[in-house]
Amino acid sequence: MSASLSVFTLYADPAAAVRWLVEALGFVVVNSAVAGDEQLLHAELRLGEAVVIVERASEGQAASPVVDRSTSRAPVLCLDDAAAVDAAYERAVAAGSTTLREPEDTPWGNHRFEVLDPEGHQWSVGSYTPGRPWS
């Protein structure tokens, strides 16, 4: 069976979120829709096989709070190697991210970092692809 998984995330300012995803993590916008007032309604971004869908949040919808250096969920972006992870960390910090975990090596073989984007959504970026056997 074939399957894929995309991340759907709501933002108070979706246009700013798209700019952050492009600048900080290197995503490319592949589709977008705007309202008559030129407000971004929906955007789809891709980096390799990773896809993020951004839409406008309704009143009261916000990122999960941070508890013990983590929110209740975080997309996991998998990059080629530790050097790519470190470069993404530098871009993410320069783009206004808040660091939850600086680049580190984990016991399961991942070189990763974790940040909050400007609206407080957690992002985990690493060199290990979940769902594969540990070596």
PDB file of all heavy atoms in Angstrom, residues 6 8 14 16 18 20 26 31 34 40 42 54 57-58 60 66-67 76 83 100 102 114 120 131:
ATOM      1  N   SER A   6       0.953  14.655   5.012  1.00  0.00           N
ATOM      2  CA  SER A   6       1.260  16.078   4.918  1.00  0.00           C
ATOM      3  C   SER A   6       0.848  16.740   6.222  1.00  0.00           C
ATOM      4  O   SER A   6      -0.021  16.253   6.926  1.00  0.00           O
ATOM      5  CB  SER A   6       0.502  16.723   3.756  1.00  0.00           C
ATOM      6  OG  SER A   6       0.853  16.091   2.547  1.00  0.00           O
ATOM      7  N   PHE A   8      -0.877  19.910   8.127  1.00  0.00           N
ATOM      8  CA  PHE A   8      -1.851  20.976   7.960  1.00  0.00           C
ATOM      9  C   PHE A   8      -1.768  21.842   9.206  1.00  0.00           C
ATOM     10  O   PHE A   8      -1.967  21.359  10.318  1.00  0.00           O
ATOM     11  CB  PHE A   8      -3.244  20.356   7.812  1.00  0.00           C
ATOM     12  CG  PHE A   8      -4.371  21.339   7.799  1.00  0.00           C
ATOM     13  CD1 PHE A   8      -4.664  22.056   6.658  1.00  0.00           C
ATOM     14  CD2 PHE A   8      -5.154  21.534   8.925  1.00  0.00           C
ATOM     15  CE1 PHE A   8      -5.722  22.960   6.633  1.00  0.00           C
ATOM     16  CE2 PHE A   8      -6.208  22.424   8.905  1.00  0.00           C
ATOM     17  CZ  PHE A   8      -6.485  23.133   7.753  1.00  0.00           C
ATOM     18  N   PRO A  14      -1.154  33.734   7.926  1.00  0.00           N
ATOM     19  CA  PRO A  14      -0.616  32.689   7.046  1.00  0.00           C
ATOM     20  C   PRO A  14       0.455  33.194   6.091  1.00  0.00           C
ATOM     21  O   PRO A  14       1.396  32.464   5.784  1.00  0.00           O
ATOM     22  CB  PRO A  14      -1.830  32.146   6.301  1.00  0.00           C
ATOM     23  CG  PRO A  14      -2.934  33.074   6.553  1.00  0.00           C
ATOM     24  CD  PRO A  14      -2.603  33.892   7.746  1.00  0.00           C
ATOM     25  N   ALA A  16       2.754  35.459   6.685  1.00  0.00           N
ATOM     26  CA  ALA A  16       4.000  35.495   7.461  1.00  0.00           C
ATOM     27  C   ALA A  16       4.518  34.083   7.702  1.00  0.00           C
ATOM     28  O   ALA A  16       5.731  33.839   7.669  1.00  0.00           O
ATOM     29  CB  ALA A  16       3.788  36.226   8.781  1.00  0.00           C
ATOM     30  N   VAL A  18       4.123  31.484   5.748  1.00  0.00           N
ATOM     31  CA  VAL A  18       4.713  31.021   4.485  1.00  0.00           C
ATOM     32  C   VAL A  18       6.104  31.619   4.307  1.00  0.00           C
ATOM     33  O   VAL A  18       7.047  30.921   3.941  1.00  0.00           O
ATOM     34  CB  VAL A  18       3.791  31.353   3.297  1.00  0.00           C
ATOM     35  CG1 VAL A  18       4.511  31.179   1.970  1.00  0.00           C
ATOM     36  CG2 VAL A  18       2.532  30.477   3.347  1.00  0.00           C
ATOM     37  N   TRP A  20       8.169  32.524   6.629  1.00  0.00           N
ATOM     38  CA  TRP A  20       9.054  31.852   7.572  1.00  0.00           C
ATOM     39  C   TRP A  20       9.442  30.458   7.058  1.00  0.00           C
ATOM     40  O   TRP A  20      10.609  30.083   7.098  1.00  0.00           O
ATOM     41  CB  TRP A  20       8.402  31.747   8.957  1.00  0.00           C
ATOM     42  CG  TRP A  20       9.313  31.108   9.957  1.00  0.00           C
ATOM     43  CD1 TRP A  20      10.284  31.736  10.686  1.00  0.00           C
ATOM     44  CD2 TRP A  20       9.368  29.728  10.304  1.00  0.00           C
ATOM     45  NE1 TRP A  20      10.944  30.813  11.472  1.00  0.00           N
ATOM     46  CE2 TRP A  20      10.397  29.567  11.261  1.00  0.00           C
ATOM     47  CE3 TRP A  20       8.650  28.603   9.910  1.00  0.00           C
ATOM     48  CZ2 TRP A  20      10.725  28.338  11.817  1.00  0.00           C
ATOM     49  CZ3 TRP A  20       8.975  27.370  10.471  1.00  0.00           C
ATOM     50  CH2 TRP A  20      10.001  27.251  11.415  1.00  0.00           C
ATOM     51  N   GLY A  26      13.429  26.416   4.016  1.00  0.00           N
ATOM     52  CA  GLY A  26      13.724  26.150   2.617  1.00  0.00           C
ATOM     53  C   GLY A  26      12.575  25.611   1.789  1.00  0.00           C
ATOM     54  O   GLY A  26      12.786  25.134   0.666  1.00  0.00           O
ATOM     55  N   ASN A  31       1.383  25.947  -4.428  1.00  0.00           N
ATOM     56  CA  ASN A  31       0.003  26.362  -4.685  1.00  0.00           C
ATOM     57  C   ASN A  31      -0.400  27.372  -3.629  1.00  0.00           C
ATOM     58  O   ASN A  31       0.004  27.259  -2.468  1.00  0.00           O
ATOM     59  CB  ASN A  31      -0.975  25.176  -4.599  1.00  0.00           C
ATOM     60  CG  ASN A  31      -0.777  24.171  -5.696  1.00  0.00           C
ATOM     61  OD1 ASN A  31      -0.787  24.516  -6.869  1.00  0.00           O
ATOM     62  ND2 ASN A  31      -0.585  22.919  -5.323  1.00  0.00           N
ATOM     63  N   VAL A  34      -5.839  33.165  -2.659  1.00  0.00           N
ATOM     64  CA  VAL A  34      -6.074  34.390  -1.902  1.00  0.00           C
ATOM     65  C   VAL A  34      -7.538  34.793  -2.020  1.00  0.00           C
ATOM     66  O   VAL A  34      -8.213  34.447  -2.991  1.00  0.00           O
ATOM     67  CB  VAL A  34      -5.166  35.550  -2.382  1.00  0.00           C
ATOM     68  CG1 VAL A  34      -3.702  35.240  -2.110  1.00  0.00           C
ATOM     69  CG2 VAL A  34      -5.384  35.843  -3.841  1.00  0.00           C
ATOM     70  N   LEU A  40      -4.159  35.807   2.133  1.00  0.00           N
ATOM     71  CA  LEU A  40      -3.856  34.412   1.849  1.00  0.00           C
ATOM     72  C   LEU A  40      -4.829  33.501   2.592  1.00  0.00           C
ATOM     73  O   LEU A  40      -4.987  33.618   3.810  1.00  0.00           O
ATOM     74  CB  LEU A  40      -2.415  34.092   2.262  1.00  0.00           C
ATOM     75  CG  LEU A  40      -1.940  32.680   1.977  1.00  0.00           C
ATOM     76  CD1 LEU A  40      -1.871  32.418   0.482  1.00  0.00           C
ATOM     77  CD2 LEU A  40      -0.573  32.450   2.613  1.00  0.00           C
ATOM     78  N   HIS A  42      -5.003  29.876   1.678  1.00  0.00           N
ATOM     79  CA  HIS A  42      -4.507  28.500   1.650  1.00  0.00           C
ATOM     80  C   HIS A  42      -3.204  28.495   0.862  1.00  0.00           C
ATOM     81  O   HIS A  42      -3.103  29.126  -0.187  1.00  0.00           O
ATOM     82  CB  HIS A  42      -5.546  27.611   0.957  1.00  0.00           C
ATOM     83  CG  HIS A  42      -5.137  26.196   0.741  1.00  0.00           C
ATOM     84  ND1 HIS A  42      -5.526  25.182   1.589  1.00  0.00           N
ATOM     85  CD2 HIS A  42      -4.395  25.606  -0.229  1.00  0.00           C
ATOM     86  CE1 HIS A  42      -5.025  24.023   1.142  1.00  0.00           C
ATOM     87  NE2 HIS A  42      -4.341  24.261   0.038  1.00  0.00           N
ATOM     88  N   VAL A  54      -0.789  25.437   4.765  1.00  0.00           N
ATOM     89  CA  VAL A  54      -1.010  26.557   5.673  1.00  0.00           C
ATOM     90  C   VAL A  54      -2.355  27.181   5.363  1.00  0.00           C
ATOM     91  O   VAL A  54      -2.657  27.444   4.198  1.00  0.00           O
ATOM     92  CB  VAL A  54       0.117  27.616   5.508  1.00  0.00           C
ATOM     93  CG1 VAL A  54      -0.192  28.869   6.307  1.00  0.00           C
ATOM     94  CG2 VAL A  54       1.469  27.028   5.903  1.00  0.00           C
ATOM     95  N   ALA A  57      -6.054  30.708  10.658  1.00  0.00           N
ATOM     96  CA  ALA A  57      -6.680  30.234  11.887  1.00  0.00           C
ATOM     97  C   ALA A  57      -7.935  31.048  12.170  1.00  0.00           C
ATOM     98  O   ALA A  57      -8.008  32.232  11.847  1.00  0.00           O
ATOM     99  CB  ALA A  57      -5.705  30.370  13.057  1.00  0.00           C
ATOM    100  N   SER A  58      -8.910  30.412  12.773  1.00  0.00           N
ATOM    101  CA  SER A  58     -10.104  31.121  13.235  1.00  0.00           C
ATOM    102  C   SER A  58      -9.795  31.745  14.590  1.00  0.00           C
ATOM    103  O   SER A  58      -8.833  31.366  15.271  1.00  0.00           O
ATOM    104  CB  SER A  58     -11.279  30.148  13.380  1.00  0.00           C
ATOM    105  OG  SER A  58     -11.635  29.633  12.117  1.00  0.00           O
ATOM    106  N   GLY A  60      -9.383  32.329  18.249  1.00  0.00           N
ATOM    107  CA  GLY A  60      -9.224  31.382  19.352  1.00  0.00           C
ATOM    108  C   GLY A  60      -8.332  30.190  19.041  1.00  0.00           C
ATOM    109  O   GLY A  60      -7.950  29.460  19.946  1.00  0.00           O
ATOM    110  N   VAL A  66       3.912  25.422  25.249  1.00  0.00           N
ATOM    111  CA  VAL A  66       5.131  24.669  25.533  1.00  0.00           C
ATOM    112  C   VAL A  66       5.089  24.202  26.983  1.00  0.00           C
ATOM    113  O   VAL A  66       4.857  24.996  27.897  1.00  0.00           O
ATOM    114  CB  VAL A  66       6.385  25.536  25.297  1.00  0.00           C
ATOM    115  CG1 VAL A  66       7.651  24.778  25.684  1.00  0.00           C
ATOM    116  CG2 VAL A  66       6.450  25.990  23.846  1.00  0.00           C
ATOM    117  N   VAL A  67       5.292  22.901  27.183  1.00  0.00           N
ATOM    118  CA  VAL A  67       5.398  22.311  28.510  1.00  0.00           C
ATOM    119  C   VAL A  67       6.649  21.438  28.503  1.00  0.00           C
ATOM    120  O   VAL A  67       6.769  20.540  27.667  1.00  0.00           O
ATOM    121  CB  VAL A  67       4.151  21.452  28.852  1.00  0.00           C
ATOM    122  CG1 VAL A  67       4.322  20.770  30.209  1.00  0.00           C
ATOM    123  CG2 VAL A  67       2.890  22.292  28.811  1.00  0.00           C
ATOM    124  N   VAL A  76       7.923  16.783  11.973  1.00  0.00           N
ATOM    125  CA  VAL A  76       9.319  16.346  11.947  1.00  0.00           C
ATOM    126  C   VAL A  76       9.798  16.436  10.501  1.00  0.00           C
ATOM    127  O   VAL A  76       9.333  15.687   9.645  1.00  0.00           O
ATOM    128  CB  VAL A  76       9.468  14.906  12.486  1.00  0.00           C
ATOM    129  CG1 VAL A  76      10.905  14.431  12.376  1.00  0.00           C
ATOM    130  CG2 VAL A  76       8.978  14.829  13.926  1.00  0.00           C
ATOM    131  N   ALA A  83      24.997  18.236   8.510  1.00  0.00           N
ATOM    132  CA  ALA A  83      25.363  19.557   7.976  1.00  0.00           C
ATOM    133  C   ALA A  83      24.123  20.307   7.503  1.00  0.00           C
ATOM    134  O   ALA A  83      23.998  21.515   7.736  1.00  0.00           O
ATOM    135  CB  ALA A  83      26.382  19.419   6.853  1.00  0.00           C
ATOM    136  N   LEU A 100      14.042  25.641  21.187  1.00  0.00           N
ATOM    137  CA  LEU A 100      13.680  24.723  22.265  1.00  0.00           C
ATOM    138  C   LEU A 100      14.833  23.761  22.551  1.00  0.00           C
ATOM    139  O   LEU A 100      15.111  23.446  23.701  1.00  0.00           O
ATOM    140  CB  LEU A 100      12.427  23.917  21.897  1.00  0.00           C
ATOM    141  CG  LEU A 100      11.140  24.709  21.748  1.00  0.00           C
ATOM    142  CD1 LEU A 100      10.026  23.815  21.232  1.00  0.00           C
ATOM    143  CD2 LEU A 100      10.748  25.343  23.082  1.00  0.00           C
ATOM    144  N   GLU A 102      18.833  23.149  20.913  1.00  0.00           N
ATOM    145  CA  GLU A 102      19.891  23.432  19.950  1.00  0.00           C
ATOM    146  C   GLU A 102      20.267  22.131  19.263  1.00  0.00           C
ATOM    147  O   GLU A 102      19.947  21.044  19.757  1.00  0.00           O
ATOM    148  CB  GLU A 102      21.091  24.033  20.671  1.00  0.00           C
ATOM    149  CG  GLU A 102      20.812  25.411  21.213  1.00  0.00           C
ATOM    150  CD  GLU A 102      22.038  26.049  21.845  1.00  0.00           C
ATOM    151  OE1 GLU A 102      23.100  25.401  21.921  1.00  0.00           O
ATOM    152  OE2 GLU A 102      21.925  27.211  22.266  1.00  0.00           O
ATOM    153  N   GLU A 114      15.073  21.654  17.660  1.00  0.00           N
ATOM    154  CA  GLU A 114      13.657  21.944  17.747  1.00  0.00           C
ATOM    155  C   GLU A 114      13.481  23.424  18.035  1.00  0.00           C
ATOM    156  O   GLU A 114      14.173  23.991  18.887  1.00  0.00           O
ATOM    157  CB  GLU A 114      12.983  21.085  18.817  1.00  0.00           C
ATOM    158  CG  GLU A 114      13.022  19.625  18.418  1.00  0.00           C
ATOM    159  CD  GLU A 114      12.365  18.695  19.418  1.00  0.00           C
ATOM    160  OE1 GLU A 114      11.999  19.133  20.514  1.00  0.00           O
ATOM    161  OE2 GLU A 114      12.223  17.511  19.068  1.00  0.00           O
ATOM    162  N   GLY A 120       4.600  30.327  17.407  1.00  0.00           N
ATOM    163  CA  GLY A 120       4.658  29.380  18.510  1.00  0.00           C
ATOM    164  C   GLY A 120       4.444  27.926  18.165  1.00  0.00           C
ATOM    165  O   GLY A 120       4.336  27.088  19.055  1.00  0.00           O
ATOM    166  N   GLY A 131      10.333   5.901  11.419  1.00  0.00           N
ATOM    167  CA  GLY A 131       9.657   4.787  10.770  1.00  0.00           C
ATOM    168  C   GLY A 131      10.591   3.821  10.067  1.00  0.00           C
ATOM    169  O   GLY A 131      10.144   2.835   9.485  1.00  0.00           O
TER     170      GLY A 131
END
